[in-house]
């Protein structure tokens, strides 16, 4: 790590997230969205650049069930209690594995247990003074379409309401048990999950659908995390403008990424920047892969200027996982500008 740059402490991160004041700079968690291994023979070069700038979160992946595959020591630790009937190469959103809701009784009777020992990863280093986040992918909508297929899932809100609620109830019960264990065994400061409920131009479904099928379960799990002393972070791609007031109402702490080119960033910052912590994601569709290092730096400054609040409520990120076409120089420019400009603006000298 360059010079004496150090990660922010857990207390500094908590203060920023809760809107109780900034740390000495804007927190950075860009590294959580970069896997050096995707860059093949250049992995070590990318890893070295990532290590030049501190990441202000310690990410731990929780071992949630897979759809079909179960570990040898617990055949029931999978979402569906039957084998994959689809040929290799089938598009993910076309895998309607739970093709008939009549199978739901059997699935729920053999639902995985959050008590499975392997849920918590082994060999996790002892906790120091860093802010520790537990991660799992696919919350409710993503889990629904991953077992029903996208077309079926969107129809289910109208044609199979009871079955959707039963599945979401079982998932929420599992997640609550998982969060309890993760807090006790890993001493997490937060949990982070994903549910892409927006498209490039609009939400996936109406506000009424969100409030009927998602909001109650979201709120229950967020409140459970809070009762355990943890923040709740959500990654959701696309235009989710219509859902943000409800997400704030139910206590969501951190929202990622306010996706570029899908919403009016300045309007989002003005309307909601004081009420929720924005984990602001720099554009990985255009600027990071195809811009110049100078354009990347300008984008970082623009993003900070848009979302910065004296009381905190801003963390820096990439908009999503960086792809193999990300130039090394652009990654370096992103991290360097995030650190230097993120320090200057807090110190009042942008």
């Amino acid at each position: 790590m360059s010079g004496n740059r150090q990660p922010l402490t857990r207390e500094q991160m908590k203060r920023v997230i809760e809107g109780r004041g900034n740390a000495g700079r804007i927190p950075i968690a860009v590294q959580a969205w970069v896997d050096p291994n995707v860059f093949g023979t250049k992995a070590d070069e990318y890893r070295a650049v990532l290590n030049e700038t501190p990441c202000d979160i310690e990410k731990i992946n929780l071992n949630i069930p897979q759809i079909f595959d179960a570990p040898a020591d617990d055949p029931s630790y999978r979402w569906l209690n039957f084998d994959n009937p689809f040929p290799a190469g089938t598009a993910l959103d076309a895998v309607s594995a739970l093709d008939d809701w009549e199978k739901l009784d059997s699935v729920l009777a053999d639902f995985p247990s959050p008590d499975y020992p392997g849920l918590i990863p082994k060999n996790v280093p002892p906790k120091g003074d860093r802010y520790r986040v537990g991660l799992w992918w696919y919350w409710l909508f993503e889990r629904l379409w991953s077992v029903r297929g996208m077309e079926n899932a969107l129809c289910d809100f109208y044609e199979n309401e009871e079955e959707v609620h039963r599945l979401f109830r079982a998932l929420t019960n599992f997640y609550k048990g998982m969060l309890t264990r993760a807090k006790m065994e890993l001493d997490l400061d937060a949990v982070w999950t994903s549910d892409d409920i927006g498209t490039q131009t609009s939400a996936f479904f109406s506000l009424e659908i969100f409030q009927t099928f998602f909001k109650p379960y979201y709120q229950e799990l967020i409140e459970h995390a809070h009762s355990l002393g943890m923040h709740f972070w959500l990654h959701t791609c696309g235009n989710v403008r219509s859902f943000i007031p409800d997400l704030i109402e139910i206590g969501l702490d951190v929202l990622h990424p306010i996706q570029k080119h899908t919403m009016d960033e300045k309007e989002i910052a003005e309307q909601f920047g004081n009420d929720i912590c924005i984990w602001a994601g720099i554009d990985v569709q255009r600027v990071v892969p195809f811009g110049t290092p100078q354009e990347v730096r300008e984008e970082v400054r623009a993003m900070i200027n848009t979302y910065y609040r004296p009381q905190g409520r801003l963390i820096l990120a990439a908009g999503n996982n960086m792809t193999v076409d990300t130039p090394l120089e652009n990654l370096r420019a992103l991290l360097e500008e995030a650190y230097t400009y993120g320090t200057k603006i807090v110190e009042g000298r942008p």
Side-chain angles (χ1 to χ4, degrees):
M1 199 170 293
S2 298
N4 60 354
R5 295 180 178 182
Q6 297 297 322
L8 298 177
T9 67
R10 60 195 304 194
E11 289 305 320
Q12 287 175 312
M13 288 293 294
K14 289 179 181 180
R15 187 167 70 246
V16 169
I17 290 167
E18 294 168 7
R20 295 187 284 112
N22 274 295
R25 57 177 173 79
I26 304 297
I28 300 170
V30 174
Q31 298 89 333
W33 297 96
V34 187
D35 177 6
N37 294 318
V38 305
F39 301 103
T41 59
K42 295 184 177 181
D44 287 343
E45 295 178 56
Y46 281 80
R47 190 172 290 109
V49 169
L50 290 171
N51 290 335
E52 291 172 2
T53 302
C55 181
D56 294 312
I57 67 171
E58 182 182 27
K59 181 181 72 172
I60 299 175
N61 294 303
L62 302 174
N63 298 322
I64 68 165
Q66 302 298 308
I67 296 177
F68 300 109
D69 298 330
D73 59 346
D74 188 349
S76 69
Y77 194 69
R78 56 180 181 171
W79 293 124
L80 301 180
N81 61 343
F82 49 86
D83 295 331
N84 187 355
F86 293 89
T90 303
L92 184 61
D93 62 357
V95 176
S96 53
L98 190 61
D99 58 343
D100 188 334
W101 279 113
E102 290 187 2
K103 298 177 181 178
L104 184 62
D105 285 341
S106 174
V107 167
L108 296 184
D110 198 25
F111 214 61
S113 170
D115 294 329
Y116 171 62
L119 184 152
I120 303 297
K122 297 180 180 178
N123 303 318
V124 174
K127 185 170 182 179
D129 197 28
R130 295 184 64 194
Y131 184 89
R132 178 174 282 188
V133 184
L135 165 65
W136 88 95
W137 296 111
Y138 286 28
W139 190 356
L140 292 181
F141 181 55
E142 291 179 327
R143 184 55 59 207
L144 175 65
W145 69 250
S146 72
V147 298
R148 287 282 292 158
M150 184 63 75
E151 183 175 345
N152 286 338
L154 292 172
C155 293
D156 283 335
F157 299 127
Y158 301 94
E159 299 174 351
N160 299 290
E161 298 180 31
E162 180 181 350
E163 289 79 4
V164 172
H165 279 295
R166 291 180 64 200
L167 177 61
F168 284 5
R169 176 74 269 156
L171 287 166
T172 301
N173 290 344
F174 176 92
Y175 296 143
K176 289 174 73 174
M178 176 180 69
L179 264 56
T180 299
R181 281 193 61 199
K183 177 62 178 181
M184 293 176 59
E185 299 178 41
L186 296 171
D187 191 19
L188 299 179
D189 298 298
V191 288
W192 154 24
T193 190
S194 68
D195 225 5
D196 288 346
I197 51 180
T199 73
Q200 198 82 12
T201 57
S202 66
F204 256 110
F205 32 75
S206 69
L207 180 59
E208 180 182 3
I209 292 293
F210 175 81
Q211 292 174 336
T212 299
F213 289 95
F214 296 92
K215 185 177 179 180
Y217 302 104
Y218 276 17
Q219 181 171 1
E220 183 176 342
L221 197 62
I222 290 170
E223 290 180 349
H224 185 65
H226 289 171
S227 74
L228 296 168
M230 297 188 293
H231 294 137
F232 204 104
W233 299 36
L234 175 63
H235 160 80
T236 181
C237 279
N239 185 336
V240 295
R241 170 63 177 81
S242 59
F243 303 144
I244 293 177
D246 288 81
L247 293 172
I248 292 172
E249 178 189 330
I250 62 179
L252 182 69
D253 298 291
V254 178
L255 179 63
H256 176 269
I258 312 300
Q259 185 178 335
K260 193 80 173 179
H261 312 299
T262 70
M263 293 176 279
D264 184 330
E265 295 165 283
K266 290 184 178 180
E267 190 267 342
I268 296 294
E270 291 171 359
Q271 290 292 319
F272 308 117
N274 294 323
D275 301 317
I276 191 169
C277 182
I278 301 296
W279 190 11
I282 191 170
D283 177 24
V284 295
Q285 291 179 308
R286 305 179 192 180
V287 175
V288 171
F290 305 120
T292 65
Q294 182 58 30
E295 287 171 333
V296 171
R297 290 180 181 276
E298 291 170 357
E299 181 68 16
V300 171
R301 291 195 294 272
M303 187 168 64
I304 292 175
N305 290 339
T306 297
Y307 293 110
Y308 173 74
R309 296 290 183 274
Q311 69 269 34
R313 300 286 200 188
L314 172 61
I315 302 169
L316 300 175
N320 211 309
N321 289 319
M322 290 192 187
T323 52
V324 68
D325 52 3
T326 300
L328 184 66
E329 297 78 10
N330 285 7
L331 177 60
R332 178 179 282 113
L334 167 55
L335 291 167
E336 180 62 26
E337 197 67 24
Y339 189 93
T340 56
Y341 190 73
T343 300
K344 290 178 181 179
I345 197 167
V346 170
E347 294 177 349
R349 51 183 186 91

